[in-house]
Amino acid sequence: MCIAALLLSSCSGETDPELPVPITTTPVTSTQPPVAAPTPAELNANLARAFDAGIPAADKITLVQGAAADPQLIDQVVAAAKANKAVVEVVDVTDLGDGSVVATVAMRLDGQPTPESVMNFVAEDGVWKLSQDSACGIVSVAGLTSPACG
């Protein structure tokens, strides 16, 4: 199973002419003021924390949209990445202006580079989270399930 394929397959919707793949946006509905778009370094720090096996899933709920419906969703995403020996690095961020961003990522699967792909992130309650669509795409392609991925 290929995380790169899953990242590409988890994106659907409109096509941005500047990006080589379709993107999905999940509008933010919050009374909070808009959050500035994250930098690649900030998203990489969030991903490193999310993939840290030493941090309990309950402490990672704020990192994935929809994880409150299934606190183990983050563990499913981590298991999928670990099974594929995936190393993900955010290299660019495109602010969509609606409380969501598309992050261009460089990946290595089992030590081999893959074509660049994208992950979607959304701002909720002042925190940038991996979008539920992206998380569920990863879980689905890995053959796993989650109640958050109806």
Side-chain angles (χ1 to χ4, degrees), residues 46-131:
N46 282 357
L47 289 172
R49 186 167 180 249
F51 292 153
D52 185 339
I55 297 175
D59 294 342
K60 299 177 190 180
I61 289 176
T62 62
L63 301 174
V64 178
Q65 182 186 38
D70 177 15
Q72 299 306 310
L73 175 60
I74 188 66
D75 285 340
Q76 298 283 35
V77 172
V78 171
K82 188 174 184 177
N84 288 285
K85 299 177 186 171
V87 176
V88 179
E89 179 185 5
V90 174
V91 295
D92 190 36
V93 175
T94 301
D95 187 350
L96 300 178
D98 64 353
S100 65
V101 298
V102 173
T104 303
V105 296
M107 264 194 302
R108 296 182 75 75
L109 298 176
D110 199 15
Q112 299 300 310
T114 66
E116 282 188 345
S117 56
V118 297
M119 297 175 103
N120 299 308
F121 290 82
V122 297
E124 286 186 343
D125 301 320
V127 176
W128 284 99
K129 302 178 179 190
L130 179 64
S131 75

Side-chain angles (χ1 to χ4, degrees), residues 2-74:
C2 178
I3 294 288
L6 96 93
L7 290 175
L8 292 173
S9 69
S10 71
C11 301
S12 63
E14 66 182 82
T15 300
D16 183 328
E18 295 182 19
L19 295 174
V21 294
I23 57 174
T24 298
T25 60
T26 305
V28 175
T29 54
S30 174
T31 58
Q32 306 257 335
V35 178
T39 65
E42 290 168 330
L43 292 181
N44 282 324
N46 282 357
L47 289 172
R49 186 167 180 249
F51 292 153
D52 185 339
I55 297 175
D59 294 342
K60 299 177 190 180
I61 289 176
T62 62
L63 301 174
V64 178
Q65 182 186 38
D70 177 15
Q72 299 306 310
L73 175 60
I74 188 66

